Structure formats: C-alpha cells, structure tokens
Amino acid sequence: MGAITVIEAHATTGGNATSTIAAGFIPDAATAAPVCTKTIAGCEVMLAPDCNGTCGAKQFCTFDQGCTATCKPICDATCSDTEECYFPTPTTSACRQRQSFDAGTLTLSGTTTPVTLFPPYSFKGIDSGSLFNDGAELAVTATGAGAGAGYLGFTESFTATHVFRTEPSLDKLGISDIFGAGDVPIRWTAGQDDITVTATVIAVSGKAGTLTCKGDDTTGKFDLPRQAIKAVLATGDTLGSLTVAVTRNKVHSIYDLSTTGTVPDGDVQAVGWLDLATSSTETTSFAGCSNDQQVCDNACVDVSTNAHCGSCGNACASGDSCATDTCSGPAACNACFNTVSTGNGVCASAYAACTNDADCTVLKTCLAACTDATCQQTCVTAHPNSVTLYNMGPNCICSSGCPTECSAACQQ
C-alpha cells in the first residue's frame, strides 16, 4: 500500500499557504495500525485506549486489531540510527538493521515548484504558497526500490483538487455559533471532490479529543453536530476551545503496480495499490469564554455581576447584589422565603410545626406586633416553651433554605 499526497493548508483569515508532501509505503496493508473510533451523529470520534492502570512498568496501553485496549511491551533496546527495535521473542527486545520499503526517488512535476524526494521522504514543506494550482495536471515518477524492497519504477499522472475556501469564512461565525447549543454551520462554494471536517475539542478541564466527519462537496454546506462535540467532553465539562479544519481531497487510485524484494516479519504482496492525492485545508480556531464568563447574546459576559448573576439575563433587583452566582438582598430573600416556606418547600414543615401549635402561633403573633427588642423579650418570656419551635423556620431558612439570598438578615 502506498500513498503520495500533495498538501496545501491555509488559515481562514488568509495569508500564505503552507505546503507539504506526505509519501509512505507499507508492504502489507493488513498490518496497518488500527484506527479506533465510535460513531456519533454521523461523525467518527477518536477513542483513546484505557487499560485501567493494569500495564506494567515496561508496558504501554494501546489498541489491538479488534480495538480492544491491551498492554504491550515497550521495545526498549538501544539502537543506532540505522537500526530498529523489534522483538525476536515475545518478551525480549533487540536491534536489527532497518530495511526500508519504498519506491526509490520520487520526482513530482506540474507542481508550482518541482520536487524531488529521497527515502525516507522527509519534506519540510514551504510556507509561501501552494505547490499546486486549481485543477492542475500533476505527475510523479518513481525510480523504484532497486535492490531493496518496495515498488518497481513507475510514472503516473493525476489531477489536483481545487483550493478550498469557506464562504462566509469561518472566522465570521459568532461565539454563540461555536459555543452555543446548535450545530456549527460550515459553508463553501460547491465542488466535486471529497470533504472531511476535523474538529479538535478541548474542554475547560483540559481534556482533548478529535472527531472527523464526512461532508458532501456538491452541497456546499455541512453542519458540525453539537452532539458529536459533546461526546468528546466528559460529563459536566464545558467546551473551552475548538479548532475546525475543513479539507477538500481528490484521490486517484492505481491498483496494478508491481513490487519487489522481501522484508523481515512481513509479506510483500506481488501487486500493490497506490493513492495519488491532493488536498486543500482551511483551519481556524475559536477560544471560549474564561471560567467566570458565559456566552450571552453572542458575547462573553461576566456572570458574577448584578446584571447577569449566575446565568445570562438573571438580573438582581434594585437593592440586591450578586453573591456566589445568586442574588442576595431583600427582594431575593422575600422571593426565596415564599418558595421554600410553603407547599413542598424545604422549610415548609418547619413553619407548619409552629403554625399547628396554639402556643407557638400566639408567640408568632406577639413577635410580629413588636417594634423593639424589649417587646420581643416580653413575648419570649411569656411563651418560653414555644421558642425552639418558633425558631425552626428561621433556622431552616438560614441553614439550607435561603442562606445566600437572606444572608444579611441571617447575620442579624
């Protein structure tokens, strides 16, 4: 299996493109490392292996071919630059001479800058523009693996994709589009190739994950599902930042290329396939609100203020103030008292206990008529056995019913 991809990437805000070339060949496609995902709202969410701390000191957690998390030994032999680490036995690591599987020297033509690559095909790329023009005819010539293992020589041509641009550009989306409750709208001029939307999700807690979705280029639109974004986040976590990359990809596949040679511990198939591809990617990142802010009317708002106390639009009444995301003061205390002291409120039974007792009811009426401390003491002296029953209601308000809303009154 082989793949040669000419890649163009640019920011949503414009500027120079960055171009790279990725080239790689493996002797047996069946040995490729598994990609383990779960499907959420039509998107593939990348899974991370979790061995629940069962791996030993010289083991690491990874997926097997069936996407089951398993502990595997670390190959820790000290090898030179021309060697690779391997396991001659299941528990012993050693070094052996590295044998490549490639297609020899690769020369790309039709690109804006001719490129020649040598195994192992390290290409740092350019940051001044794209290596291909819209729909350009490109060609790649390989000298072949020669005496080594890999593909025999070939010359193949392929057609480049068209540079991808969102319209309107993603950076014009509002913060509520990205961090709100709905799907994230992505729009572009329709084409005829393949569209892949990749989102990197970082939670406020620091947890990160990636999801990948397929779009239809001919429709010119895709709505990134909020459900898939939330699937990356832990329960109760919130979205901290989001990076969205939209890629238009065009692939030309060849299935009848000949191979040669042998490699250790692997099968070289007699006939291989090769993907020749070009891709254009637009990327943009969105930073969320800080920890003490929320998205309100497409803006980050401090929700510890009197205008937005604990949530968007939750304004405190005149004379009240916001404390620990809750309005506190006369109006908030009265409203909370009316709620918790009646019906099924948490303090309803405490107040009912006094109401249902004749002597406590008399004490309550006596205290309500007082305007000074002397009067209050007279009421208490006259009904000493009902004081504890009477205080059950106020104590409930201050301890659990409305401790923040009535904090000023409870401190008196």
Side-chain angles (χ1 to χ4, degrees), residues 39-135:
T39 302
I40 304 291
C43 297
E44 299 297 319
V45 178
M46 297 294 296
L47 298 177
D50 184 1
C51 297
N52 296 316
T54 59
C55 296
K58 291 188 176 183
Q59 292 181 317
F60 68 101
C61 186
T62 187
F63 285 122
D64 61 18
Q65 291 295 329
C67 287
T68 298
T70 182
C71 297
K72 290 189 176 181
I74 297 172
C75 199
D76 57 359
T78 303
C79 304
S80 68
D81 292 340
T82 61
E83 294 177 322
E84 63 183 7
C85 186
Y86 80 112
F87 288 95
T89 69
T91 59
T92 304
S93 61
C95 299
R96 67 184 176 190
Q97 197 68 24
R98 181 183 292 111
Q99 184 172 348
S100 63
F101 184 87
D102 55 54
T105 303
L106 300 178
T107 302
L108 278 79
S109 57
T111 52
T112 55
T113 300
V115 177
T116 299
L117 300 177
F118 301 92
Y121 309 123
S122 175
F123 182 75
K124 295 182 179 179
I126 58 174
D127 57 8
S128 58
S130 175
L131 273 171
F132 62 86
N133 296 318
D134 277 11

Side-chain angles (χ1 to χ4, degrees), residues 4-376:
I4 302 171
T5 305
V6 185
I7 303 165
E8 177 275 332
H10 57 273
T12 300
T13 52
N16 286 334
T18 299
S19 293
T20 57
I21 298 174
F25 305 88
I26 62 174
D28 186 355
T31 64
V35 177
C36 301
T37 64
K38 63 179 178 180
T39 302
I40 304 291
C43 297
E44 299 297 319
V45 178
M46 297 294 296
L47 298 177
D50 184 1
C51 297
N52 296 316
T54 59
C55 296
K58 291 188 176 183
Q59 292 181 317
F60 68 101
C61 186
T62 187
F63 285 122
D64 61 18
Q65 291 295 329
C67 287
T68 298
T70 182
C71 297
K72 290 189 176 181
I74 297 172
C75 199
D76 57 359
T78 303
C79 304
S80 68
D81 292 340
T82 61
E83 294 177 322
E84 63 183 7
C85 186
Y86 80 112
F87 288 95
T89 69
T91 59
T92 304
S93 61
C95 299
R96 67 184 176 190
Q97 197 68 24
R98 181 183 292 111
Q99 184 172 348
S100 63
F101 184 87
D102 55 54
T105 303
L106 300 178
T107 302
L108 278 79
S109 57
T111 52
T112 55
T113 300
V115 177
T116 299
L117 300 177
F118 301 92
Y121 309 123
S122 175
F123 182 75
K124 295 182 179 179
I126 58 174
D127 57 8
S128 58
S130 175
L131 273 171
F132 62 86
N133 296 318
D134 277 11
E137 290 299 318
L138 309 179
V140 58
T141 297
T143 60
Y151 284 65
L152 296 177
F154 61 81
T155 297
E156 299 289 345
S157 61
F158 57 110
T159 304
T161 188
H162 295 276
V163 174
F164 181 85
R165 294 299 302 271
T166 53
E167 296 179 4
S169 61
L170 286 176
D171 63 304
K172 298 300 190 295
L173 293 177
I175 194 169
S176 60
D177 293 320
I178 306 301
F179 297 93
D183 297 341
V184 180
I186 303 172
R187 302 293 182 264
W188 65 89
T189 301
Q192 298 295 324
D193 297 330
D194 298 321
I195 295 292
T196 301
V197 180
T198 303
T200 301
V201 179
I202 300 179
V204 171
S205 66
K207 179 186 177 183
T210 302
L211 60 96
T212 303
C213 316
K214 295 295 184 183
D216 185 350
D217 199 5
T218 63
T219 65
K221 62 180 182 179
F222 180 79
D223 294 323
L224 182 62
R226 182 66 55 181
Q227 182 182 353
I229 295 174
K230 288 183 176 180
V232 178
L233 303 173
T235 302
D237 213 342
T238 56
L239 180 62
S241 65
L242 182 71
T243 297
V244 178
V246 188
T247 300
R248 173 178 280 147
N249 195 55
K250 186 179 182 69
V251 181
H252 175 66
S253 298
I254 305 159
Y255 298 99
D256 58 354
L257 294 179
S258 299
T259 62
T260 184
T262 60
V263 293
D265 301 329
D267 295 326
V268 176
Q269 307 301 317
V271 177
W273 90 72
L274 174 69
D275 287 340
L276 298 173
T278 52
S279 69
S280 176
T281 300
E282 182 175 303
T283 304
T284 191
S285 296
F286 305 91
C289 301
S290 60
N291 290 341
D292 59 348
Q293 294 182 325
Q294 290 183 12
V295 178
C296 302
D297 296 328
N298 210 30
C300 288
V301 171
D302 185 349
V303 290
S304 63
T305 64
N306 290 351
H308 303 277
C309 187
S311 61
C312 298
N314 183 36
C316 297
S318 176
D320 288 2
S321 60
C322 188
T324 61
D325 296 337
T326 304
C327 292
S328 176
C333 183
N334 287 336
C336 183
F337 173 82
N338 291 334
T339 299
V340 303
S341 64
T342 59
N344 295 321
V346 296
C347 297
S349 60
Y351 279 96
C354 182
T355 302
N356 295 331
D357 182 89
D359 188 65
C360 188
T361 301
V362 174
L363 172 61
K364 180 179 178 182
T365 302
C366 182
L367 290 172
C370 289
T371 58
D372 56 47
T374 301
C375 175
Q376 293 174 347

